[in-house]
Amino acid sequence: MRKKLLISFLCAMLVLAAVAATSVTYAWLTPGTMVPVAAEGKAVASYFGGGTGLSAQDAYIINTPKHVYNLAWLQYLGVFNETDESGNLAQQYYFRLEEDIDMNTDRQWQVVPPIGTIEYPFVGNFDGGNFTISNVIVANN
């Protein structure tokens, strides 16, 4: 009886192993191999209150200290200075301030890098809308 139970158990384990082996898919990629991905878009829009930044009518919306920080940081990294194959600016971006912003209300975002450097100058359009950004500290190492 024990031998029969053991054989049944081992057969069940073999069946489970076979099912598991056939239901798992493995993929190997060779270094340097191109893998086509059908996707478009940028995550930059998620750093602002809305807009695509592609026109004055659909400017990136800035209405919190975090949005000001994101503009400064992304510009500092050169995100808004993409160039085409000829080295010309590929796209000019638009930004719109929609309310007064006191950077002191959220000290986490109070210190920002310069918006524009020698390497990545600010070449976009910024509509302040007669609003102000106050208590901001601009610093870079």
Side-chain angles (χ1 to χ4, degrees):
M1 180 73 173
R2 275 186 155 182
K3 190 174 184 181
K4 204 174 195 181
L5 187 59
L6 181 60
I7 291 172
S8 295
F9 175 76
L10 290 174
C11 287
M13 295 306 292
L14 286 173
V15 168
L16 285 175
V19 169
T22 60
S23 64
V24 176
T25 303
Y26 294 99
W28 287 271
L29 298 177
T30 305
T33 302
M34 295 294 289
V35 178
V37 177
E40 290 185 29
K42 289 187 175 184
V44 172
S46 64
Y47 291 102
F48 300 102
T52 63
L54 300 178
S55 69
Q57 296 75 30
D58 197 23
Y60 286 128
I61 305 303
I62 299 173
N63 53 21
T64 68
K66 185 176 182 180
H67 296 155
V68 173
Y69 178 86
N70 289 339
L71 165 60
W73 187 246
L74 291 170
Q75 177 60 47
Y76 185 77
L77 294 174
V79 170
F80 302 116
N81 294 80
E82 297 172 355
T83 56
D84 61 19
E85 58 279 346
S86 302
N88 299 317
L89 191 63
Q91 172 68 46
Q92 194 171 41
Y93 292 94
Y94 296 80
F95 304 88
R96 184 173 57 244
L97 196 58
E98 289 201 332
E99 61 186 68
D100 290 329
I101 298 175
D102 181 357
M103 298 295 283
N104 200 31
T105 59
D106 191 346
R107 291 181 184 246
Q108 176 181 1
W109 311 112
Q110 188 176 18
V111 180
V112 300
I115 299 176
T117 62
I118 291 172
E119 185 177 3
Y120 300 117
F122 181 78
V123 291
N125 294 282
F126 187 92
D127 178 0
N130 293 319
F131 295 108
T132 61
I133 300 172
S134 58
N135 297 311
V136 64
I137 298 169
V138 178
N140 106 11
N141 292 334

